[in-house]
Amino acid sequence: MSASEPRFVRAVNAIADLDNPFYAEERQRDVWNEASAVGFQALLWCMFGLVAAMVWIGGRPLFGWATVLMLAASLSSALVLIHAGRLGVTGFEGSHLPWPRLILAVLLIGVIGLGVLVRTDFGASPSGIAGAVVGLVAAVAGTVGAVWVIRRRAEATGPGADDPDDVVES
């Protein structure tokens, strides 16, 4: 880690102990990174499932805790994306969108949203329903727009951007 790296990258390196000698051996590092990705994904899916259960089973009394759990999952995901982005990786390089997982995530978030409307009494009024619909449309549009922009940037700067023969198969 050098002093010329941005503060965010230095902080993440310190928090994750990325300068540990363990990471010097390439195979160990690759296996550990892959295992960490599997664990991170499992944790995110479990958190979304737990939030859905909290909202549907616990209703309004657990809504605050469910919100905190969603914020924790969102913060973790955002840190992964920001850190990778600062190092020039978007996650879309040479890949395709995982449609089955994407659809499952949208359905699970829909189940959470429906649970909030049904079990918390927040959406009982017409203005509450209208606000939920507007918020959902804005969230979906923002997510689709962000994915589109990130993917376009990855295609423009990734393999094959300058050389049409340099194409990565997915």
Side-chain angles (χ1 to χ4, degrees), residues 54-79:
M54 290 170 77
V55 170
W56 278 100
I57 296 168
R60 191 176 192 127
L62 293 183
F63 178 74
W65 291 109
T67 302
V68 169
L69 194 55
M70 283 295 288
L71 290 173
S74 300
L75 176 63
S76 298
S77 298
L79 285 174

Side-chain angles (χ1 to χ4, degrees), residues 96-112:
H96 63 285
L97 285 176
W99 287 108
R101 282 183 34 192
L102 193 58
I103 291 169
L104 181 60
V106 169
L107 287 175
L108 190 54
I109 291 169
V111 166
I112 293 168

Side-chain angles (χ1 to χ4, degrees), residues 93 149-163:
E93 294 85 358
V149 166
I150 291 168
R151 187 165 180 113
R152 297 288 296 181
R153 285 184 185 158
E155 289 171 356
T157 60
D162 298 327
D163 182 5

Side-chain angles (χ1 to χ4, degrees), residues 112-162:
I112 293 168
L114 186 61
V116 169
L117 287 175
V118 171
R119 298 283 294 143
T120 63
D121 299 327
F122 289 131
S125 70
S127 64
I129 294 170
V133 169
V134 168
L136 181 62
V137 168
V140 169
T143 301
V144 168
V147 167
W148 184 80
V149 166
I150 291 168
R151 187 165 180 113
R152 297 288 296 181
R153 285 184 185 158
E155 289 171 356
T157 60
D162 298 327

